[in-house]
Each structure stands twice: as structure tokens, then as C-alpha cells.
């Protein structure tokens, strides 16, 4: 039935069909280059990177995103000069102190994901502090990948499953995708719908290898300290136009 112009377009006007990613994961890259371009120490880039995090958390809440994962420090990043590693750890602690209260007030629940090894006592205390302080947040869960490596995560999952089989708690034939996924550090975290990596690099660098199976990817050229709330909105706009098929037609 042809019911004319208004009838045809009405459903589009009336329903807000814009797809919003439930989980956005970001590889925050380019702090060092940002600093170098300005003749500053790499540390200054990390410092400005924290400012970008503040804006992106706000933008994620405003856009109705429920999960935001930020890749803050990879297991490989321990191999950087000791002074830079120390500066990043120090910055983490200072940020927890300066932002914790506001994050809690914004309804942001913070979770730190990664192996809790190699950290100093002070960093471990800050991790526990921020998780406790923000545990009541129900608007956005901010997962900070800190000393995270996806391969290591999968090796640990394999070890824990093998142990459960050896103990007789689990049968080999019961190890399926769901069972494997629930042995990962991301247990109870939905897979990322959108993965963003700033600075024009197009690689995962050991981030969420299992979880990214059907993620959409977005690689803006801007360096992380320049990734503003507007840049986040642009990513949301780009995502809204993606067609996800999951292998179907
Ligand atoms: C990302 O920025 C932050 C961390 C990896 C901790 P980089 O420090 O990797 O910046 P570039 O890639 O050297 O510019
Ligand atoms: C990935 O960035 C890790 C984080 C953003 C924390 P890197 O800068 O460490 O990755 P590569 O060395 O360019 O692959
Ligand atoms: Mg980098």
C-alpha cells in the first residue's frame, strides 16, 4: 500500500534508531608524540592524556555508553625507560586522588583490569581505593586496563581451566566459548562494540584479542591528548553508520 510521503517517513522520524555502542574500548595512543611535537618530555604527554580521559568519561556518560575500557598500560610498557614507567605509576596514583570523588559523584564505577603483579604497594593501595570508592557507580563502568596483556590473559585462562579439569571440577567437553570467556579477566564485561585507537596506528598491541572478534574499529589520526569530547562524539556518529553482520547476510 502506498500511503504517501508522510506515512513512509513517519517511523524513521518517530523512532530514534541511532545505534549507541554499549561498550567502547580505547587504545589511548600518541602521548609521547604529542609531547615531542611541542619539545616537551614524554611525561607531559601522559599528563595531558589524563585531561583527555576526563573529557572522554564525560562524553561516554552523556552518550549513554554503559562500558568504557581504556588501555592505560600494557605488560610490554614495563620495558620503557624506568623514569617514564615511574612517572606513569605516579600519575596513576595522583589521578586516583584528584578524580576519585568526582568519578563517584558522576556514577562511574572504576575497575582495574590486569595482573596485580609488579605494582608497588602504593599503586596496589590506590587500585583498591578507587575500586572501593566508586563501587556504587551505576551509570558507567570504567575499566582501566593496567598491566594488561591479552595473550597473558588467555594463558592464565587456559591454566585455570586445566587446573579445574585436573581437580575433576570440569570436563574437557564442557569447555566451550562461554566457559572460556568466563575464565578471562573480562568475565561479566560485554565484548566491546567499538574499539578506537588514536594516533593513526592501526594495531591492537595485545589488547582484547579474544573479545574483539566482532568489534567495529575506528582509527582517528589525532593523538590521545587531542582526543576531545567532540572527537568522541564523532566516533559515536561513525559507529551509528556501521552495519554489523556477524557473518550473516
Ligand atoms: C600511550 O602513548 C600511553 C601509553 C602507552 C602508556 P605513548 O606513550 O605510547 O605515545 P607514543 O605512541 O610514544 O606517541
Ligand atoms: C599500546 O600502545 C598500549 C597502550 C596504549 C597502553 P603502545 O604505544 O605501547 O603500543 P605499540 O608499541 O605502538 O604497539
Ligand atoms: Mg604508543
Amino acid at each position: 500500500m502506498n500511503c504517501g510521503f508522510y506515512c513512509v517517513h513517519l517511523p524513521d522520524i518517530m523512532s530514534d534508531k541511532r545505534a549507541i555502542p554499549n561498550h567502547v574500548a580505547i587504545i589511548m595512543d600518541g602521548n609521547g608524540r604529542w609531547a615531542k611535537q611541542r619539545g616537551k618530555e614524554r611525561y607531559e604527554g601522559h599528563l595531558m592524556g589524563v585531561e583527555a580521559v576526563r573529557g572522554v568519561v564525560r562524553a561516554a556518560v552523556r552518550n549513554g555508553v554503559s562500558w568504557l575500557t581504556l588501555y592505560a598500560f600494557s605488560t610490554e610498557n614495563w620495558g620503557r625507560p624506568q623514569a617514564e614507567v615511574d612517572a606513569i605509576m605516579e600519575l596513576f596514583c595522583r589521578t586516583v586522588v584528584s578524580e576519585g570523588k568526582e568519578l563517584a559523584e558522576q556514577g562511574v564505577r572504576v575497575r582495574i583490569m590486569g595482573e596485580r603483579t609488579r605494582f608497588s604497594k602504593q599503586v596496589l593501595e590506590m587500585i583498591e581505593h578507587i575500586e572501593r570508592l566508586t563501587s556504587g557507580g551505576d551509570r558507567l563502568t570504567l575499566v582501566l586496563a593496567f598491566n594488561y596483556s591479552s595473550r597473558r590473559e588467555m594463558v592464565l585462562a587456559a591454566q585455570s581451566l586445566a587446573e579445574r579439569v585436573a581437580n575433576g571440577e570440569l570436563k574437557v567437553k564442557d569447555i566451550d566459548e562461554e566457559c572460556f570467556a568466563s575464565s578471562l579477566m573480562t568475565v561479566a564485561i560485554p565484548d566491546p562494540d567499538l574499539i578506537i585507537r588514536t594516533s593513526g596506528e592501526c594495531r591492537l598491541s595485545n589488547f582484547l584479542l579474544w573479545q574483539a572478534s566482532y568489534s567495529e574499529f575506528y582509527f582517528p589520526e589525532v593523538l590521545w591528548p587531542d582526543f576531545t569530547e567532540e572527537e568522541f562524539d564523532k566516533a559515536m556518529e561513525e559507529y551509528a553508520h556501521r552495519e554489523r553482520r556477524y557473518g550473516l547476510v
Side-chain angles (χ1 to χ4, degrees):
M1 187 178 74
N2 182 357
C3 55
F5 175 84
Y6 293 105
C7 183
V8 170
H9 290 85
L10 209 51
D12 283 351
I13 295 166
M14 290 182 68
S15 66
D16 182 8
K17 283 186 177 171
R18 197 167 176 274
I20 295 161
N22 181 43
H23 182 180
V24 177
I26 308 182
I27 302 169
M28 309 184 287
D29 200 17
N31 294 351
R33 278 163 282 167
W34 185 94
K36 194 172 174 208
Q37 283 173 4
R38 288 159 180 79
K40 296 171 188 273
E41 294 291 324
R42 292 179 59 84
Y43 168 74
E44 303 266 352
H46 297 312
L47 199 60
M48 288 311 290
V50 174
E51 292 302 313
V53 169
R54 197 180 283 141
V56 161
V57 169
R58 260 199 310 267
V61 170
R62 174 168 49 74
N63 277 278
V65 169
S66 298
W67 297 84
L68 176 67
T69 297
L70 300 178
Y71 201 7
F73 193 82
S74 74
T75 303
E76 288 76 25
N77 289 150
W78 290 109
R80 293 188 177 198
Q82 192 59 44
E84 181 174 349
V85 171
D86 290 347
I88 291 171
M89 294 298 147
E90 173 73 27
L91 190 56
F92 170 78
C93 294
R94 277 174 37 201
T95 305
V96 163
V97 172
S98 65
E99 306 301 313
K101 194 162 164 275
E102 195 183 326
L103 286 168
E105 282 167 7
Q106 279 182 284
V108 178
R109 173 176 65 141
V110 179
R111 282 175 56 174
I112 310 295
M113 177 175 75
E115 264 192 290
R116 300 213 177 163
T117 52
R118 293 184 77 164
F119 289 132
S120 68
K121 192 165 166 283
Q122 188 199 15
V123 170
L124 282 172
E125 278 171 11
M126 286 299 162
I127 289 174
E128 282 160 26
H129 169 71
I130 191 73
E131 288 189 333
R132 212 177 320 113
L133 182 70
T134 63
S135 61
D138 57 4
R139 288 188 83 183
L140 172 78
T141 300
L142 171 61
V143 181
L144 214 58
F146 202 51
N147 190 22
Y148 174 81
S149 147
S150 188
R151 285 187 173 180
R152 178 73 183 149
E153 175 189 35
M154 287 193 269
V155 165
L156 290 172
Q159 285 180 1
S160 101
L161 291 170
E163 212 165 271
R164 287 170 59 199
V165 169
N167 291 342
E169 289 165 39
L170 182 69
K171 292 195 174 70
V172 169
K173 70 171 178 45
D174 291 332
I175 301 176
D176 55 11
E177 289 186 15
E178 199 185 326
C179 170
F180 188 79
S182 65
S183 304
L184 295 169
M185 292 174 185
T186 48
V187 56
I189 300 177
D191 286 345
D193 299 292
L194 175 66
I195 295 183
I196 301 170
R197 180 171 186 149
T198 55
S199 85
E201 307 291 358
C202 304
R203 56 178 172 267
L204 279 172
S205 303
N206 216 349
F207 187 52
L208 302 178
L209 304 180
W210 167 275
Q211 299 85 344
S213 295
Y214 271 103
S215 302
E216 294 294 322
F217 288 87
Y218 178 61
F219 300 114
E221 290 293 324
V222 292
L223 304 174
W224 177 249
D226 294 328
F227 195 81
T228 55
E229 284 196 53
E230 291 70 37
E231 291 290 339
F232 188 89
D233 292 345
K234 264 197 245 170
M236 294 301 98
E237 185 61 28
E238 168 72 28
Y239 178 81
H241 291 100
R242 298 283 176 91
E243 188 194 346
R244 303 180 72 184
R245 288 192 288 276
Y246 301 98
L248 307 177
V249 290

